[in-house]
Amino acid sequence: MPRRDTPKVITANDLVGGHVVYLTEDDRWTRDPWDAELIEDEAHADIRLLDASRRSGEVVGVYLADARSGPNGPEPIHLRELIRAKGPTIPAGIAPA
């Protein structure tokens, strides 16, 4: 469970392509985690999450992920988010057994 006092980004999976996406400050979905809005206020994070969750025609699995400010933008803190930010771990066209 994410800590409430840690900055957050909003992440999800693109409904059509399945790619990991992040919500930007101007309400766009981006595949670049460094372009995500880093949210430091808990109440603002809750409102942004609620709004993003209503975009079910665009994304699935919307949630808040812990992040920190980095030199190029938000950076994931946890291993799961580091893996998601780097992209698929299975080459395209290969289905898991």
Side-chain angles (χ1 to χ4, degrees):
M1 171 181 269
R3 290 185 45 179
R4 299 301 292 181
D5 59 342
T6 302
K8 310 281 187 248
V9 295
I10 295 175
T11 186
N13 288 87
D14 177 72
L15 188 60
V16 175
H19 301 287
V20 174
V21 291
Y22 303 87
L23 190 63
T24 65
E25 191 171 348
D26 62 352
D27 288 324
R28 292 178 300 105
W29 292 107
T30 180
R31 289 174 62 182
D32 187 343
W34 300 281
D35 289 338
E37 175 184 15
L38 185 64
I39 307 168
E40 299 192 40
D41 178 78
E42 182 179 329
H44 183 64
D46 289 339
I47 291 168
R48 296 289 283 152
L49 179 63
L50 182 60
D51 289 342
S53 297
R54 292 181 176 141
R55 297 170 68 171
S56 60
E58 302 171 41
V59 293
V60 295
V62 179
Y63 67 94
L64 293 170
D66 290 347
R68 66 177 159 245
S69 181
N72 298 315
E75 296 178 345
I77 293 175
H78 301 291
L79 179 60
R80 177 179 193 260
E81 298 309 321
L82 286 167
I83 293 169
R84 289 183 83 239
K86 290 186 182 283
T89 56
I90 298 174
I94 301 200

